[in-house]
Amino acid sequence: MIKIHQGIDMVEIGKFKSVFQAREAFAADIFTDAERRYCESKKDPYPHYAGRFATKEAALKALGMGLSGTGIDKTLKEIEVTADPSGKPSLSLSGWTAKVSKRKKIGQLTVSISHSGDYAVSTVILVGSGNP
């Protein structure tokens, strides 16, 4: 039996930028070094940061949890968004999130990110096999 797990999240870019700028350590607490390098390589990094943040939240939802249950300490850095040369995003899990994924027998992870105007949105689909 195939099990589909889906999560979606939307972030208001302006509000995200305000939080980002108000707290100096925010980027280092939430994003991996590679994610920060990618976003900072863009003319306007905030839509890209917001999209990656939305992806991390969507991934937690697809795994069956949210930030309220896990907190943000290290968990969000265990969910890393990378991009291939064409810009297509991919997702990798480590630490505790990888353990949850393994328990749910996740074999495929897909992610889509979009940002336009005031919002960034992301959807994550995890495909698992059998019963956890």
Side-chain angles (χ1 to χ4, degrees), residues 53-64:
F53 187 82
T55 300
K56 291 169 184 275
E57 288 228 46
L60 286 173
K61 290 173 183 177
L63 287 168

Side-chain angles (χ1 to χ4, degrees), residues 78-116:
E78 292 177 353
I79 302 166
E80 185 174 41
V81 182
T82 57
D84 70 14
S86 73
K88 178 183 175 191
S90 62
L91 195 61
S92 64
L93 306 176
S94 63
W96 185 73
T97 60
K99 287 179 186 176
V100 172
S101 175
K102 185 175 180 178
R103 194 176 320 130
K104 291 182 177 278
K105 300 180 181 177
I106 302 299
Q108 183 179 0
L109 301 88
T110 61
V111 60
S112 180
I113 306 170
S114 184
H115 38 80
S116 180

Side-chain angles (χ1 to χ4, degrees), residues 16 19-21 23-33 35-37 39-40 46 49 53 56 76-77:
F16 184 81
V19 170
F20 195 98
Q21 292 176 328
R23 189 165 165 257
E24 190 174 315
F26 185 75
D29 288 345
I30 305 296
F31 301 100
T32 66
D33 292 342
E35 288 172 321
R36 291 195 311 271
R37 279 192 303 274
C39 294
E40 292 297 329
Y46 298 105
Y49 275 122
F53 187 82
K56 291 169 184 275
L76 289 177
K77 287 178 88 170

